[in-house]
């Protein structure tokens, strides 16, 4: 589920160049680097600009997340400021040049939040590599193929990697579906690559595994911005259909493993024709979206040391906003909904200005968040008839284990589904790492990418449900 993390970067701004820069042949061309201070740790950003001041282009790299050379949609120089826009990430940066033109100091804007960011001209300083001992290293005892498949409904192509056990055969298969935010096929986050680790483990266990880049991300086509969970569900359906066309795959033994929002995608996919034969959810939601987010805010806030009064006020305001959002018909325009929620904020918190209120509620009225907050997972659970394994970490602060698993159990009982397994794995966080508090700021500092106990739980359950068939 979404948090103020780095999976959905939001840059925006007003970018201009000083007269001195405009008169310099190379202008601001070159590398600009800086670090964002996030709850999950410092995050290095590297912008590379090219061209003349009148015609600039550029790319963004975020090494810790595996993001490399993403094209910047728009680069502008005006007066003494720089303006960068990255439409695929719904992001922007606004900064002002220093007198010597060697720094740009400004704001990184994301999901209604603003964070200071200073970019320095020149190569990024060398940093010690993050230790990730579980990252698989070649040579591998299996085949790996770059593949692409078509989502005909959305008219886009998705790119991914299919790993196949050695030898001939028709193999049971798995599709991996990532959580929220634009993610690559390895679900890269803060130097970790959970899906690469999981795919490697399962392929060694005899399963073919398909993992793919989200639409509009890395090598996949389409546009991420504006898409909802329902759109991502059609991508997962296309992945399942693609595997079933292959002669090396057993078409009646194709599982879907969804992490976080991917769990909701798994429920939606399994509730429709052509769904998976097996479902595994990793920190998947069972409660309605607004309930998940309200609990997430409380758990993360508490783990980060927020006092009881602040937690209570946050719940009071957000609870009222979510309830108001649910009351509005789907036909309500984004503009009208934003104004309505902003006025509600001012009723609840008179000290907040109209401008601040509008800015604060804007993230709630975007297509993805609006869909998520108003989605009742039970609608899909009661239609899921295939075998299910639902795993959650006991220290997950993003999708609370006990209450979401309880809701999943109730929903599957309504479906009269008797082949279900629920497990809360002790000591594990939202990423299934062995954690201390489970707070998101711990993710980057943990060397473990995916706890062996969680890998074994998934692998053994899949083997039990595919062996001898």
């Amino acid at each position: 589920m979404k948090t103020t993390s780095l999976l959905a970067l939001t840059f925006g701004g007003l970018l201009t160049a000083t007269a001195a820069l405009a008169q310099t042949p190379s202008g601001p061309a070159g590398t600009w680097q800086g670090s964002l201070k996030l709850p999950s740790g410092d995050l290095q950003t590297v912008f590379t600009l090219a061209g003349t001041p009148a015609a600039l282009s550029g790319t963004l790299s975020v090494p810790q997340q595996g993001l490399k050379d993403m094209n910047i949609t728009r680069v502008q120089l005006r007066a003494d400021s720089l303006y960068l826009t990255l439409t695929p990430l719904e992001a922007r940066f606004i900064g002002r040049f220093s007198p010597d033109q060697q720094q740009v100091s400004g704001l990184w804007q994301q999901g209604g939040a603003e964070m200071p960011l200073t970019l320095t001209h020149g190569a990024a300083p060398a940093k010690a590599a993050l230790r990730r001992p579980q990252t698989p290293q070649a040579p591998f005892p299996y085949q790996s193929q770059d593949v692409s498949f078509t989502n005909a409904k959305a008219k886009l192509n998705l790119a991914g990697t299919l790993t196949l056990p050695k030898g001939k055969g028709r193999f049971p298969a798995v599709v991996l579906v990532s959580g929220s935010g634009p993610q690559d096929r390895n679900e890269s986050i803060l130097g970790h690559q959970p899906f690469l680790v999981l795919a490697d483990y399962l392929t060694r266990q005899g399963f073919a595994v398909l993992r793919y880049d989200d639409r509009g991300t890395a090598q996949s086509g389409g546009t991420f911005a504006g898409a909802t969970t329902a759109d991502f569900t059609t991508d997962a359906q296309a992945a399942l259909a693609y595997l079933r066309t292959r002669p090396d795959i057993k078409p009646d033994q194709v599982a879907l493993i969804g992490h976080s929002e991917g769990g909701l995608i798994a429920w939606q996919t399994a509730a429709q024709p052509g769904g998976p034969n097996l479902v595994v959810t990793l920190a998947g939601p069972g409660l309605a979206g607004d309930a998940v987010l309200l609990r997430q805010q409380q758990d993360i806030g508490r783990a980060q040391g927020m006092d009881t009064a602040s937690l209570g006020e946050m719940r009071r305001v957000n609870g009222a906003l979510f309830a108001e959002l649910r009351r509005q018909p789907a036909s309500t325009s984004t503009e009208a909904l934003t104004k309505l929620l902003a006025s509600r904020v001012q009723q609840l918190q008179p000290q907040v200005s109209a401008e601040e209120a509008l800015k604060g509620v804007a993230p709630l009225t975007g297509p993805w968040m609006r869909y998520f907050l108003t989605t009742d997972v039970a609608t899909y659970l009661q239609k899921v008839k295939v075998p299910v394994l639902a795993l959650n970490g006991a220290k997950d602060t993003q999708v609370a284990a006990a209450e979401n698993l309880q809701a999943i159990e109730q929903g599957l009982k309504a479906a009269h589904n008797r082949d279900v397994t629920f497990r809360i794995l002790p000591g594990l966080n939202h990423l299934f790492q062995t954690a201390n508090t489970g707070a998101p700021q711990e993710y980057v500092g943990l060397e473990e990418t995916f706890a062996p106990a969680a890998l074994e739980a998934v692998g053994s359950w899949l083997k039990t449900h595919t062996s001898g068939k």
Side-chain angles (χ1 to χ4, degrees):
M1 296 301 110
K2 288 193 175 181
T3 63
T4 305
S5 68
L6 191 56
L7 294 179
L9 309 179
T10 312
F11 301 79
L14 173 63
L15 186 37
T16 52
T18 61
L21 272 170
Q23 293 167 4
T24 304
S26 61
T31 300
W32 296 82
Q33 61 84 24
S35 292
L36 281 169
K37 292 190 179 298
L38 301 174
S40 52
D42 288 354
L43 192 73
Q44 183 187 21
T45 60
V46 182
F47 296 89
T48 303
L49 304 182
T52 66
L56 282 169
S57 61
T59 61
L60 166 68
S61 296
V62 184
Q64 288 161 264
Q65 290 198 326
L67 181 66
K68 184 175 175 61
D69 297 335
M70 170 177 279
N71 288 331
I72 299 173
T73 307
R74 191 179 186 190
V75 181
Q76 291 177 292
L77 296 173
R78 296 177 188 163
D80 62 349
S81 299
L82 176 66
Y83 174 36
L84 305 175
T85 302
L86 290 92
T87 301
L89 300 179
E90 300 179 350
R92 58 187 180 181
F93 169 77
I94 306 169
R96 177 172 292 177
F97 287 95
S98 61
D100 63 0
Q101 291 91 48
Q102 295 305 299
Q103 286 191 329
V104 184
S105 298
L107 291 175
W108 175 294
Q109 300 177 336
Q110 174 181 2
E114 292 185 342
M115 292 167 277
L117 175 63
T118 296
L119 302 176
T120 301
H121 202 196
K127 286 193 172 184
L130 295 169
R131 274 185 46 80
R132 301 292 184 250
Q134 284 181 289
T135 300
Q137 302 294 329
F140 302 116
Y142 52 78
Q143 309 167 60
S144 182
Q145 301 176 4
D146 288 333
V147 298
S148 64
F149 54 95
T150 301
N151 179 340
K153 184 175 182 179
K155 299 180 181 179
L156 58 86
N157 291 324
L158 296 157
T161 298
L162 176 65
T163 49
L164 294 156
K166 279 191 174 179
K168 296 180 180 179
R170 288 158 65 84
F171 304 105
V174 175
V175 174
L176 303 183
V177 181
S178 67
S180 58
Q183 300 193 44
D184 66 19
R185 65 194 68 184
N186 294 328
E187 203 183 35
S188 300
I189 174 173
L190 301 171
H192 293 289
Q193 300 178 80
F195 276 8
L196 175 59
V197 173
L198 180 56
D200 176 80
Y201 178 84
L202 292 177
T203 308
R204 292 171 187 267
Q205 299 294 311
F207 296 91
V209 182
L210 173 62
R211 61 194 198 273
Y212 58 92
D213 301 323
D214 288 348
R215 59 167 68 191
T217 305
Q219 297 178 41
S220 285
T223 301
F224 188 90
T228 69
T229 304
D231 298 313
F232 302 135
T233 294
T234 68
D235 295 340
Q237 290 172 318
L240 292 169
Y242 163 71
L243 284 182
R244 288 176 172 140
T245 67
R246 293 183 59 104
D248 47 6
I249 300 299
K250 293 182 177 179
D252 59 347
Q253 293 188 25
V254 181
L256 191 154
I257 300 179
H259 175 234
S260 196
E261 183 195 8
L264 174 55
I265 292 169
W267 303 136
Q268 292 188 338
T269 306
Q272 300 179 55
N277 304 102
L278 304 165
V279 165
V280 178
T281 60
L282 303 171
L287 295 169
D290 54 351
V292 171
L293 192 53
L294 282 172
R295 176 62 188 266
Q296 178 191 106
Q297 292 168 342
Q298 295 292 297
D299 286 347
I300 291 178
R302 192 175 295 109
Q304 294 178 342
M306 285 182 66
D307 59 76
T308 302
S310 297
L311 289 170
E313 177 66 4
M314 179 169 64
R315 187 175 186 88
R316 180 181 77 91
V317 173
N318 286 330
L321 293 178
F322 295 170
E324 186 66 59
L325 191 150
R326 270 186 169 275
R327 283 193 289 268
Q328 299 306 308
S331 59
T332 305
S333 70
T334 299
E335 181 181 6
L337 185 60
T338 301
K339 290 180 178 178
L340 177 64
L341 294 185
S343 67
R344 187 78 176 102
V345 169
Q346 290 190 283
Q347 292 172 5
L348 294 165
Q349 297 179 314
Q351 73 277 16
V352 176
S353 70
E355 182 180 0
E356 290 173 330
L358 284 168
K359 190 173 184 179
V361 302
L364 302 181
T365 59
W368 183 91
M369 185 63 80
R370 187 173 178 181
Y371 182 92
F372 176 72
L373 289 174
T374 57
T375 295
D376 290 316
V377 183
T379 303
Y380 305 100
L381 287 170
Q382 60 192 13
K383 299 177 183 177
V384 176
K385 308 292 186 179
V386 299
V388 168
L389 170 66
L391 299 179
N392 286 65
K395 292 188 175 181
D396 190 337
T397 57
Q398 292 184 236
V399 179
E403 62 183 41
N404 279 281
L405 284 181
Q406 183 179 15
I408 291 170
E409 183 176 12
Q410 291 173 347
L412 294 176
K413 278 184 178 179
H416 303 290
N417 189 338
R418 297 181 179 178
D419 191 349
V420 296
T421 303
F422 307 97
R423 289 185 62 184
I424 296 178
L425 301 178
L428 303 189
N429 63 17
H430 187 64
L431 300 186
F432 290 84
Q433 301 167 296
T434 303
N436 296 314
T437 68
Q441 65 259 35
E442 289 183 342
Y443 299 164
V444 68
L446 298 173
E447 293 184 0
E448 182 178 78
T449 295
F450 211 115
L455 293 172
E456 194 279 332
V458 174
S460 62
W461 186 86
L462 287 173
K463 277 193 170 183
T464 298
H465 283 78
T466 56
S467 60
K469 297 181 180 180

